[in-house]
């Protein structure tokens, strides 16, 4: 079915909004398009937290052409004072006569307030246009807003038989160059990367974003190390990066090692432990309190197992390379005790499968 005009311009607004990925936390991704006489006369998106909202940028580019125009925006305009004034007043001042909204504000304290304000001042408002796409775009913001915890993405790279490393621990490189570039794009969009101490000890990763031409943005690096076993010489503690590194450890970790990490500008926080290791639920709550909207878990199998067992993963990116590793001592994708019965398995929904170079990528959500 062909798209109507409202869907066409809303999709443009969504594409604009996506340009702000990784830059707007703790704010949502928002794009706006001003249309007059079936022509786009202004457009913009929220580029960075603390800077003008999408509506303001679109109105500014349109100038005087906003009179009697239509504004398309993927999220209900704000009607409250935050870092910036309410956008609803700017819409009235600009003379916009119709506003088409993708989804209402998910914040229960303000939901519908922007719509009601505009309608009470004579502006025609329609909402729910491409709502599913709008919800998906801001899935991390919605999770954070409603649960005060980050949206958790699990990324794993495995062989076709589900191994993430050989029996010797070798895992470089299971997937190809295009898949690895895709992962760097993911890093560029999330607020934090999380790995276990085992991954750092085996691979000595940097966990930075390397996209070339200084286009990448490094997220917060979060390392799980209950006993502070990672040596201070590890690359992750000696990076030239603007993003900080945080080590989550147990309450009884050696104080002397904590002090040396702090001296290297590494933040150290203590969390409780459980049968799976460090309590990831508690850690995610602490990350949420500091405004972290999204966390990308990159390994290893023990951390994957703990996150899945605790039902903490909101989205999966699972890469499968066209290789077979084999061996009972090779490292499986998901560690931990596992389940006794198939009925207790975590089922996935909304699966999308595509090729990234030579590898297969399965994108899915927990059911």
């Amino acid at each position: 079915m062909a798209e109507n005009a409202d869907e066409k311009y809303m999709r443009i607004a969504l594409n604009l909004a996506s340009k702000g990925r990784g830059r707007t936390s703790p704010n949502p991704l928002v794009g706006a398009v001003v249309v007059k006489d079936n022509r786009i006369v202004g457009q913009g998106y929220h580029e960075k937290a603390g800077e003008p909202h999408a509506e303001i940028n679109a109105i500014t580019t349109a100038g005087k052409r906003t009179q009697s125009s239509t504004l398309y925006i993927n999220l209900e305009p704000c009607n409250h004072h935050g870092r910036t004034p309410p956008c609803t007043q700017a819409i009235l001042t600009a003379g916009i006569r119709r506003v088409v909204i993708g989804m209402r504000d998910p914040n229960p304290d303000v939901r519908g307030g922007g719509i009601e304000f505009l309608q009470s001042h004579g502006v025609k408002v329609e909402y729910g246009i491409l709502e599913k796409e709008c919800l998906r775009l801001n899935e991390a913001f919605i999770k954070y807003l409603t649960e005060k915890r980050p949206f958790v993405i699990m990324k794993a790279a495995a062989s076709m038989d589900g191994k993430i490393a050989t029996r010797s621990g070798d895992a470089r490189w299971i997937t190809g160059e295009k898949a690895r570039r895709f992962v760097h794009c993911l890093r560029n969009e999330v607020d934090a990367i999380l790995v276990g101490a085992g991954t750092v000890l085996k691979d000595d990763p940097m966990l930075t974003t390397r996209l070339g031409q200084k286009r990448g943005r490094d997220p917060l690096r979060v390392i799980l190390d209950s006993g502070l076993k990672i040596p201070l010489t590890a690359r992750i503690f000696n990076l030239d990066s603007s993003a900080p590194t945080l080590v989550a450890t147990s309450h009884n970790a050696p104080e002397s090692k904590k002090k040396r990490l702090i001296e290297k500008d590494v933040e150290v926080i203590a969390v409780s432990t459980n049968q799976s290791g460090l309590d990831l639920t508690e850690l995610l709550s602490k990350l949420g309190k500091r405004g972290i909207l999204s966390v990308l878990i990159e390994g290893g199998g023990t951390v994957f197992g703990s996150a899945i067992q605790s039902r903490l993963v909101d989205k999966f990116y699972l890469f499968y390379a066209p290789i077979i590793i084999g061996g009972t001592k090779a490292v499986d994708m998901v560690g931990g005790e596992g389940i006794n019965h198939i009925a207790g398995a975590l089922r996935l929904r909304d699966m999308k499968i595509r090729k990234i170079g030579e590898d297969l990528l399965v994108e899915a959500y927990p059911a």
Side-chain angles (χ1 to χ4, degrees):
M1 187 189 307
E3 284 190 324
N4 59 36
D6 285 350
E7 291 173 338
K8 169 188 170 183
Y9 293 122
M10 184 60 69
R11 201 168 296 282
I12 294 172
L14 284 166
N15 289 335
L16 285 167
S18 66
K19 292 183 178 182
R21 289 186 185 274
R23 307 298 187 271
T24 63
S25 293
N27 296 340
L29 298 167
V30 185
V33 179
V34 180
V35 176
K36 187 172 183 178
D37 298 328
N38 205 31
R39 286 179 53 247
I40 294 176
V41 295
Q43 60 185 27
Y45 67 98
H46 184 39
E47 299 179 15
K48 187 178 180 181
E51 294 187 0
H53 288 187
E55 303 96 312
I56 305 304
N57 287 331
I59 289 170
T60 300
T61 59
K64 295 181 180 180
R65 293 172 293 180
T66 56
Q67 290 293 324
S68 301
S69 64
T70 297
L71 173 70
Y72 291 87
I73 185 164
N74 60 291
L75 183 67
E76 179 181 356
C78 65
N79 190 41
H80 59 281
H81 282 271
R83 292 189 187 181
T84 58
C87 292
T88 49
Q89 187 58 56
I91 292 170
L92 291 182
T93 303
I96 293 170
R97 289 290 172 260
R98 180 172 178 253
V99 177
V100 180
I101 298 168
M103 61 172 281
R104 298 208 294 172
D105 194 318
N107 187 337
D109 294 331
V110 298
R111 181 179 173 87
I115 293 173
E116 292 172 4
F117 177 87
L118 292 171
Q119 288 176 329
S120 68
H121 286 78
V123 178
K124 184 178 180 181
V125 179
E126 296 178 42
Y127 59 89
I129 310 301
L130 299 185
E131 184 176 34
K132 184 177 179 180
E133 290 89 336
C134 294
L135 289 165
R136 185 59 55 86
L137 176 71
N138 273 307
E139 57 193 3
F141 172 74
I142 295 169
K143 166 76 179 292
Y144 174 78
L145 189 66
T146 55
E147 300 185 27
K148 306 304 180 186
R149 283 204 318 222
F151 186 85
V152 177
I153 303 166
M154 172 179 151
K155 187 281 300 181
S159 60
M160 284 295 177
D161 54 336
K163 308 294 185 180
I164 61 173
T166 67
R167 63 184 182 183
S168 68
D170 181 27
R172 190 171 294 180
W173 297 101
I174 288 179
T175 52
E177 183 178 343
K178 289 185 178 180
R180 296 197 297 274
R181 180 176 175 80
F182 183 96
V183 173
H184 282 282
C185 290
L186 277 180
R187 291 179 180 179
N188 184 52
E189 297 175 357
V190 298
D191 292 343
I193 307 175
L194 186 151
V195 298
T199 296
V200 178
L201 290 170
K202 290 176 184 176
D203 300 337
D204 196 19
M206 293 189 292
L207 301 182
T208 53
T209 302
R210 300 183 291 281
L211 291 174
Q213 299 177 344
K214 297 182 179 181
R215 292 187 296 115
R217 168 195 143 275
D218 293 342
L220 168 72
R221 293 171 290 273
V222 181
I223 317 299
L224 306 180
D225 189 0
S226 59
L228 297 183
K229 296 179 180 179
I230 300 173
L232 295 174
T233 54
R235 290 199 296 177
I236 205 160
F237 297 145
N238 299 277
L239 293 172
D240 180 17
S241 171
S242 58
T245 297
L246 181 153
V247 171
T249 190
S250 62
H251 287 283
N252 59 0
E255 291 296 330
S256 59
K257 186 68 174 289
K258 288 183 186 179
K259 183 179 179 181
R260 282 183 286 169
L261 284 169
I262 293 170
E263 289 172 351
K264 293 183 74 67
D265 293 326
V266 175
E267 183 178 355
V268 181
I269 64 171
V271 296
S272 304
T273 56
N274 54 33
Q275 65 273 18
S276 300
L278 294 175
D279 189 331
L280 292 182
T281 301
E282 180 183 326
L283 174 60
L284 289 171
S285 294
K286 290 188 174 184
L287 293 176
K289 288 179 181 178
R290 59 196 294 158
I292 300 297
L293 263 64
S294 54
V295 174
L296 177 65
I297 300 180
E298 290 206 33
T302 301
V303 180
F304 291 156
S306 178
I308 290 173
Q309 182 177 347
S310 300
R311 296 297 195 262
L312 295 175
V313 182
D314 298 298
K315 188 173 187 176
F316 293 87
Y317 283 107
L318 307 177
F319 288 93
Y320 289 93
I323 59 173
I324 302 293
I325 291 177
T328 58
K329 294 184 179 180
V331 184
D332 292 317
M333 180 191 294
V334 180
E337 294 184 4
I339 59 172
N340 291 321
H341 305 286
I342 293 298
L346 175 65
R347 297 190 178 274
L348 305 182
R349 62 174 174 84
D350 296 344
M351 285 201 306
K352 295 180 182 178
I353 301 174
R354 52 181 156 149
K355 283 196 74 176
I356 305 290
E358 295 182 347
D359 306 305
L360 288 180
L361 171 61
V362 178
E363 178 183 342
Y365 294 84

